[in-house]
């Protein structure tokens, strides 16, 4: 069945307006947040129910047509990049909160529900949804599940994978299957754990059960200004070494402070070569004691100014600079690459220095704004596409940063995913067997390879191939001890 | 000479898994040696043994040629205190991981259990409320697949979304997908201070604890026939914080603050040879689960604020076991959870459904077929006869 026949079938199964084939309309979906990769899908499906998602996937399976799930399209690694001959399944019409159960600390939501909305509706009951990517005002829970999204607060609270207890997924052959549930520890393999972070390559999530977290009694936020990133890094290590686990520790370097000031006038201390934002939350008695300790450790490690947010407005102001940093960089550079790598926290000062060396040797500027507490770097590699050769140099530096992360035992991505962008880096971090082992999972879920093909893995083997199987007599038989069997 | 000849010795009288005697035992001392062993043992059925604290739980293997014993595969490879991580070999006893200087692997497991066994069993104790389970604390893993190939997943950093999270798949897999040889764990600082609050109170009081702002590390209940139900809460943190919060909890529950936990803390509620069932449910259904267990004549204990509990029954009356399990399973299903039989008196497992309904079983079978196409690793010991 070709795409035209598929369109006829899907229009009959869903409403005619839920199937797009007009090229102009399809263009709306040609990329996600990684805008320099663009592919126009052959067809866009806009299901309204889980049953419709299953119908679309089943039709794709029957026709041998690849499909790609898309939530809000904010992904930064091209995970939701369409397939030119495939169907893009957009989940944004599946946007109902199916149940809110504060007494069970759970909510059940459809995949198109926006992250922040879960917290908004939970708040009046004293709860919130802890994973808070900076994109939380627009990204979908389904996209968060697929990317295992994180945020500033995952140092203390963990990532999406720690906050999703159940899923309904449509498998690549079109079956609706439940993984996990509302209660913890469902018997059997942790397929839920394998699905979270699989970037749409194992099927489409159609229902998500999330854990709600009690709102903390107190939140206190501190801004500490240092002369350079070395001192800010040392303060971070000292805080962790003292046994304090803050809700967040974020760092910005001079260039990203400059950008944030230009954009939102956040009024960070003048002359700062680095700032740390440290947030503590929890019971008042606990937070008060730890806050003093954190302030003392910042001072002891060279902070020349510390500011404590006196109220929620001041707290918002401190965060505004940090949260606007990506967008703000646009003010000081026409183009930039957002990198996303992870290193062991203790290597921070050394890696930042080496990033600086690589950048200056290529005549490129790098602004650093990142989750210092868990070593998740977001170097912004600045360039001007109009200057010949500059983009290429920026890409070289961006790649060199990823190599540094691998060299220090870290990861090529901490929260943005592999997608299409980093598939070719996977063999640098993993051996053939490591990748092959991931393919075993892929083949169990998706033997036909139709779910978001071309993402994560550079060159997948075919399902059904069994690597390295032994043939011939057993070594025990050969060595003459076989008779004891 | 193959590695198998070098390493495998004839099994002794104790090398029995649920009544099934093994033919050989081998104890490799490194990942490479384990890989060579498993590659050479391609026609053998295998059960992995760590500390052996749990090996007799679950159904017997359909067939057993070789026990791979992990206790020589031991030792802390790295403890990076500043990064709050440790890399350990799978056979390392938990006692060693509970004694890392200034830091801890926050898993409640018996001292003689091994790191690999703790991950493979994914059991949990009281502190799961605060720290999660092995699933949440394992950030990297090295395994030898059933085909003898060595694979790594995850790494040494907490934040990592490169590729599939295979550590999750191996956590709780009970050795059916291959041998774990090395684990990387996220550590936590040892709290500056701790206190327990104990009270005689019904399980319904747990909701009040959750509604308060006291961030307990564990909320355990213990209830059984003929004794008043108890609640015990663990508070961890700074000295001032713990003092304040423990006092507030004692007021809330009309209980007392103590330095030590009650004697029943982190102990299973079943006697040796008795019936032990893990019960899970949503939080609002915990009181109903307690009622169901007491009505069936059992003792219930566990993590009331996470919905993971254990029921224990004395060793007598094996004839009534299917009925008891049926009643508990019905209660667990109403609670949106599961009732899993962990241990049962000798001779009562035959025909007993240990797991009840398992969502996603068909996909699980496909996963097993991919990793272990000949079904040699712990055959028959996992859900659905996997
Ligand atoms: C300004 C900005 C800031 C950001 N900050 C953060 C941050 O702090 N932390 C962070 O983790 N990320 C961040 N991101 C990245 C992005 O927001 C996250 O990856 C988010 O989880 C993507 O959600 P989405 O709904 O937009 O998914 P999409 O971009 O639509 O899709 C992402 C991936 O998920 C798959 N997918 C989508 N829905 C489903 C489904 N229902 N079932 C199966 N697969 C599905 C897609 O196929 C694709 O592979 C940021 C992005 C922007 C633009
Ligand atoms: C009295 C008592 C109290 C307990 N309390 C707790 C508690 O509070 N918290 C808790 O978490 N657990 C508890 N347990 C459960 C149990 O002891 C642990 O889960 C333990 O970690 C199992 O480890 P082990 O080394 O003894 O494993 P074993 O019993 O040897 O093996 C357990 C399972 O894992 C498999 N396995 C072992 N090693 C490997 C490996 N390297 N690779 C792959 N598979 C492997 C085995 O085949 C088996 O299926 C308790 C048990 C008892 C008897």
């Amino acid at each position: 069945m070709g795409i035209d026949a598929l369109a006829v079938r899907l229009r009959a199964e869903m409403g005619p307006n839920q199937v797009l084939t007009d090229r102009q309309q399809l263009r709306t979906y040609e990329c996600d947040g990684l805008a320099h990769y663009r592919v126009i899908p052959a067809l866009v499906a806009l299901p309204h129910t889980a049953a419709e998602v299953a119908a679309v996937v089943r039709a794709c399976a029957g026709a041998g047509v690849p499909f790609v799930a898309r939530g809000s399209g904010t992904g930064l690694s091209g995970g939701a990049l369409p397939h030119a001959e495939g169907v893009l399944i957009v989940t944004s019409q599946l946007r109902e909160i199916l149940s809110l159960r504060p007494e069970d600390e759970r909510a059940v939501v459809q995949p198109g529900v926006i992250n922040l909305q879960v917290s908004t509706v939970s708040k009046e009951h004293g709860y919130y949804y802890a994973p808070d990517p900076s994109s939380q005002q627009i990204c979908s829970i389904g996209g968060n599940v697929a990317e295992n999204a994180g945020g500033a607060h995952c140092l203390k609270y963990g990532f999406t994978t720690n906050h999703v207890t159940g899923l309904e997924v449509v498998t690549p052959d079109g079956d609706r299957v439940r993984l996990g549930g509302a209660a913890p520890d469902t018997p059997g393999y942790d397929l839920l754990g394998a699905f979270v972070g699989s970037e749409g390559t194992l099927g489409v999530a159609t229902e998500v059960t999330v854990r709600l977290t009690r709102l903390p009694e107190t939140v206190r936020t501190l801004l500490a200004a240092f002369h350079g990133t070395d001192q800010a890094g040392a303060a971070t290590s000292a805080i962790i070494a003292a046994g304090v686990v803050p809700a967040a520790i974020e760092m910005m370097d001079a260039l990203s402070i400059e950008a944030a000031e230009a954009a939102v006038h956040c009024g960070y201390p003048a002359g700062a070569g680095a700032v740390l934002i440290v947030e503590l939350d929890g019971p008042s008695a606990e937070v008060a004691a730890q806050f003093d300790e954190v302030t003392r450790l910042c001072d002891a490690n060279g902070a020349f100014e510390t500011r404590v947010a006196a109220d929620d407005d001041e707290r918002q102001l401190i965060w505004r600079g940090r949260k606007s940093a990506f967008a703000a960089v646009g003010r000081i550079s026409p183009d930039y690459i957002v990198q996303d790598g992870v290193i062991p926290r203790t290597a921070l000062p050394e890696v930042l220095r080496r990033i600086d060396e690589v950048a200056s040797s290529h005549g490129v500027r790098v602004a650093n704004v990142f989750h210092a507490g868990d070593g998740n770097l977001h170097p912004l590699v600045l360039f001007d596409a109009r200057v010949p050769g500059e983009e290429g140099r920026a890409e070289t530096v961006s790649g060199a940063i990823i190599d540094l992360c691998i060299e220090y035992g870290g990861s090529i991505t901490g929260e943005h995913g592999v997608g299409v962008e980093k598939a070719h880096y996977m063999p640098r971090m993993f051996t053939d067997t490591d990748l092959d082992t991931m393919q075993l999972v892929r083949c169990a879920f998706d033997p036909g390879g139709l779910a978001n093909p071309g993402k994560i893995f550079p060159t997948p083997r075919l399902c059904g191939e069994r690597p390295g199987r032994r043939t011939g007599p057993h070594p025990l038989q050969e060595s003459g001890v076989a008779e004891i069997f | 000479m193959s590695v198998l000849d070098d390493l495998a010795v004839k099994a002794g009288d104790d090398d029995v898994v649920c009544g099934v005697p093994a033919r050989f035992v081998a104890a490799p001392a490194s990942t490479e040696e384990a890989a060579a062993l498993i590659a050479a043992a391609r026609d053998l059925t295998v059960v992995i043994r760590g500390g052996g604290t749990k090996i007799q739980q679950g159904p017997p293997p359909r067939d057993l040629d070789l026990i791979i014993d992990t206790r020589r595969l031991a030792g802390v490879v790295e403890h990076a205190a500043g990064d709050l991580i440790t890399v350990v070999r799978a056979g390392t006893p938990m006692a060693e991981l509970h004694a890392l200087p200034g830091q801890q692997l926050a898993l409640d497991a018996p001292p003689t259990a091994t790191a690999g066994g703790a991950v493979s069993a994914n059991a949990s104790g009281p502190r799961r409320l605060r720290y999660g389970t092995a699933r949440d604390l394992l950030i990297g893993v090295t395994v030898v697949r059933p085909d003898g190939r060595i694979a790594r997943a995850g790494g040494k950093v907490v934040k990592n979304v490169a590729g599939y999270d295979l550590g999750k798949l191996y956590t709780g897999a009970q050795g059916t997908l291959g041998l774990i040889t090395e684990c990387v764990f996220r550590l936590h600082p040892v709290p500056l201070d701790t206190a327990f609050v104990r009270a005689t109170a019904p399980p319904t009081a747990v909701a009040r604890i959750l509604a308060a702002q006291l961030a307990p590390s564990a909320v355990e209940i213990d209830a059984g026939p003929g004794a008043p139900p108890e609640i015990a809460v663990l508070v961890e943190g700074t000295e001032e914080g713990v003092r304040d919060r423990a006092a507030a909890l004692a007021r809330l529950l009309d209980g007392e603050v103590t330095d030590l936990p009650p004697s029943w803390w982190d102990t299973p509620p079943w006697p040796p040879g008795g019936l032990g069932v893990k019960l899970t449910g949503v939080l609002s259904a915990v009181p109903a689960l307690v009622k169901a267990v007491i009505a069936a004549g059992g003792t219930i204990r566990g993590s009331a604020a996470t919905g993971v509990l254990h029921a224990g029954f004395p060793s007598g009356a094996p004839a009534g076991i299917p009925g008891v399990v049926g009643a508990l399973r019905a209660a667990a299903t109403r609670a949106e959870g599961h009732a899993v039989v962990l241990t049962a008196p000798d001779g009562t497992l035959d025909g007993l459904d240990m797991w009840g309904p398992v969502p996603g079983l068909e996909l699980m079978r496909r996963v097993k077929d991919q990793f272990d196409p000949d079904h040699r690793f712990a055959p028959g010991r996992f859900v659905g006869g996997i």
Side-chain angles (χ1 to χ4, degrees):
Chain A
M1 184 167 27
I3 281 291
D4 294 341
L6 196 66
V8 171
R9 173 167 167 191
L10 292 179
R11 283 200 174 99
E13 290 196 32
M14 305 192 287
N17 299 336
Q18 292 172 246
V19 180
L20 311 180
T21 47
D22 174 74
R23 209 172 154 77
Q24 239 7 72
Q25 288 181 311
L26 295 176
R27 277 204 94 103
T28 316
Y29 299 97
E30 67 184 350
C31 69
D32 61 8
L34 187 69
H36 60 276
Y37 287 88
R38 288 169 194 266
V39 172
I40 297 176
L43 184 153
V44 168
L46 298 161
H48 289 172
T49 62
E52 286 181 353
V53 174
V56 175
V57 173
R58 216 173 304 121
C60 288
V65 167
F67 64 90
V68 179
R70 175 183 163 114
S72 301
T74 68
L76 293 172
S77 54
L81 185 75
H83 191 288
E85 280 97 50
V87 172
L88 187 73
I89 304 175
V90 180
T91 63
S92 48
Q93 300 300 313
L94 290 146
R95 56 178 172 216
E96 228 178 288
I97 293 181
L98 300 171
S99 74
L100 182 69
R101 302 158 56 177
E103 70 283 9
D104 292 329
E105 301 188 337
R106 294 289 183 276
V108 183
V109 307
Q110 290 190 318
V113 167
I114 301 304
N115 175 300
L116 188 60
Q117 204 195 336
V118 183
S119 288
T120 307
V121 299
S122 309
K123 211 169 174 174
E124 61 177 293
H125 303 279
Y127 283 87
Y128 73 114
Y129 177 60
D132 60 341
S134 302
S135 52
Q136 70 180 141
Q137 297 187 354
I138 37 169
C139 64
S140 75
I141 293 288
N144 291 169
V145 166
E147 297 286 6
N148 189 15
H153 291 92
C154 38
L155 172 62
K156 178 168 174 183
Y157 291 103
F159 319 91
T160 300
T161 191
N162 308 109
H163 297 269
V164 169
T165 65
L167 287 176
E168 181 196 72
V169 304
V170 171
T171 64
D173 37 21
D175 291 336
R176 290 168 72 180
V177 177
R178 292 207 167 265
L179 308 178
D185 293 9
T186 304
Y189 295 128
D190 187 1
L191 300 183
L192 171 76
F195 191 93
V196 175
S198 62
E199 304 191 26
T201 62
L202 299 180
V204 186
T206 46
E207 196 182 290
V208 186
T209 305
V210 300
R211 196 153 70 82
L212 301 176
T213 304
R214 190 82 176 89
L215 281 167
E217 187 178 16
T218 309
V219 181
R220 293 192 73 183
T221 309
L222 172 92
L223 180 82
F226 298 84
H227 291 297
T229 51
D230 273 11
Q231 292 165 315
T236 304
S237 297
I239 291 167
I240 301 288
V244 179
V245 182
I249 310 186
E250 301 284 302
M251 198 194 297
M252 293 168 73
D253 71 0
L255 201 51
S256 50
I257 298 170
E258 179 193 324
E261 286 297 348
V264 296
H265 313 292
C266 43
Y268 286 172
V275 297
L276 277 188
I277 299 172
V278 186
E279 190 156 282
L280 296 176
D281 69 9
S284 315
E286 208 60 56
V287 170
Q290 293 198 335
F291 204 77
D292 292 345
E293 177 75 357
V294 167
T295 313
R296 197 184 61 72
L297 290 169
C298 285
D299 291 345
N301 283 282
F304 65 82
E305 186 176 338
T306 50
R307 286 185 196 166
V308 180
D311 54 27
D312 211 43
D313 285 347
E314 286 188 25
R315 187 176 158 243
Q316 298 304 334
L317 192 65
I318 288 180
W319 274 108
R320 195 156 83 206
R322 164 66 183 91
K323 293 210 168 176
S324 67
F326 282 7
V329 161
R331 302 239 172 181
I332 60 166
S333 174
D335 305 284
Y336 62 92
I337 299 169
V338 186
Q339 194 42 283
D340 166 43
V342 192
I343 51 163
R345 176 178 34 234
T346 46
L348 263 178
E350 202 175 322
V351 172
L352 289 179
R353 220 170 301 128
R354 288 189 61 186
I355 290 177
D356 202 41
E357 282 164 22
V358 174
S360 37
S361 73
H362 287 82
V364 170
R365 291 189 301 166
V366 174
N368 283 294
V369 37
F370 57 95
H371 311 297
D374 36 40
N376 186 190
L377 304 176
H378 286 313
L380 303 165
V381 186
L382 314 185
F383 67 96
D384 184 345
R386 292 162 308 187
V387 178
E390 208 165 278
E391 181 165 3
R393 291 206 301 277
E395 275 169 6
T396 305
V397 169
S398 178
I401 291 173
I402 283 308
D403 286 335
L404 274 176
C405 291
I406 297 171
E407 184 188 325
Y408 283 82
S411 174
I412 60 173
T413 168
E415 55 183 21
H416 294 168
V418 178
V420 277
E421 194 198 19
K422 287 186 175 163
H424 65 287
Y425 286 117
M426 288 288 275
R428 296 199 204 170
M429 184 168 164
F430 296 108
T431 66
D432 285 352
T433 310
D434 300 344
L435 293 173
D436 179 79
T437 309
M438 294 181 195
Q439 286 297 313
L440 295 175
V441 179
R442 172 66 181 270
C443 290
F445 275 80
D446 184 21
L450 294 179
N452 212 1
K455 312 295 167 64
I456 305 182
F457 304 105
T459 43
R461 70 181 169 91
L462 299 172
C463 297
E465 258 178 49
R466 284 184 191 162
R469 275 176 70 78
R470 186 186 62 82
T471 48
H474 189 273
L476 265 191
Q477 285 170 319
E478 276 179 318
S479 56
V481 275
E483 69 274 14
I484 43 180
F485 285 94
Chain B
M1 288 288 274
S2 85
V3 211
L4 201 50
D5 302 320
D6 283 348
L7 280 178
V9 296
K10 267 193 121 159
D13 291 345
D14 294 336
D15 300 316
V16 172
V17 176
C18 293
V20 181
R23 301 169 191 226
F24 302 101
V25 177
S30 67
T31 297
E32 289 66 32
E33 203 169 67
L37 171 79
I38 290 173
R42 283 248 172 96
D43 291 340
L44 305 185
T45 47
V46 174
V47 166
I48 298 157
R49 184 173 69 201
T53 60
K54 257 202 146 177
I55 198 92
Q56 307 302 350
Q57 294 188 359
R62 269 196 298 273
D63 192 28
L64 175 57
D65 298 318
L66 174 69
I67 289 179
I68 298 181
D69 189 306
T70 65
R71 275 171 303 176
R72 286 178 64 219
L73 198 60
V76 173
V77 179
E78 185 183 345
H79 172 205
D83 295 315
L84 285 174
I85 62 122
T86 186
V87 185
V88 306
R89 296 197 184 89
T92 311
M94 289 300 292
E96 227 172 290
L97 301 178
H98 288 150
L100 293 172
Q103 300 183 337
Q104 57 168 342
L105 172 57
L107 282 179
D108 298 305
T112 55
T114 59
V119 168
S120 302
N122 195 27
S124 66
R127 290 179 301 162
R128 74 173 284 157
L129 175 63
R130 171 158 181 171
Y131 301 103
T133 65
R135 166 193 202 276
D136 305 290
L137 299 176
L138 182 78
I139 58 172
V141 69
T142 304
V143 299
V144 179
R145 302 188 335 198
D147 62 4
R149 298 237 236 155
I150 300 167
R152 287 185 179 77
K156 296 206 285 185
V157 285
V158 176
K159 217 169 171 191
N160 182 3
V161 295
Y164 299 157
D165 192 348
L166 293 176
K168 296 271 188 296
L169 202 59
Y170 275 87
T171 306
Q174 305 279 12
T176 56
L177 299 178
L179 173 77
I180 298 173
T181 59
E182 211 168 272
C183 304
V184 189
F185 291 110
R186 171 182 193 163
L187 301 174
H188 284 87
V190 174
L192 300 172
D193 201 4
T194 61
F196 292 87
V197 178
R198 295 175 58 180
T200 301
T204 46
V206 172
R208 276 189 281 141
I209 303 175
L210 291 174
Q213 291 281 10
L214 300 166
S217 295
V219 178
E220 293 284 298
I221 55 168
D222 176 52
E230 279 192 69
I231 294 183
V233 184
L234 167 66
V235 195
E236 300 176 318
T238 59
E239 206 180 312
E240 304 95 301
V242 167
R243 195 187 339 104
D244 267 40
R245 289 149 63 211
L249 273 162
R251 279 194 302 278
L252 185 78
L253 295 171
D254 192 17
E256 54 164 356
V257 181
T258 66
D259 287 340
L260 291 175
S263 60
W264 49 265
W265 184 268
D266 193 20
T267 57
W270 56 87
L275 172 67
V277 181
K278 176 175 176 177
L279 286 173
T280 58
V282 294
L283 296 183
S284 61
V286 167
L289 288 175
V290 171
K291 228 180 245 169
V293 172
I294 292 176
T299 299
I300 181 162
R301 207 171 271 175
S303 183
T306 65
V308 178
L309 301 139
H310 291 96
F313 295 81
S315 39
I321 285 180
V324 169
V325 171
L328 298 192
R329 191 154 285 150
T333 304
R334 280 193 299 275
E336 298 176 59
H338 296 266
V340 174
V341 177
L342 297 179
T343 175
D346 281 347
T348 59
L349 275 184
D350 258 358
L352 190 67
D353 176 2
M354 300 191 70
W355 291 278
V358 179
L361 185 57
E362 201 34 54
L363 277 174
M364 292 177 194
R365 288 191 207 284
R366 279 151 62 174
V367 167
K368 171 72 172 179
D369 287 343
Q370 287 289 330
F371 279 81
D372 182 17
D374 301 326
H375 291 232
R376 296 184 303 109
F377 274 66
R381 301 208 75 197
F382 203 52
V383 297
I386 283 173

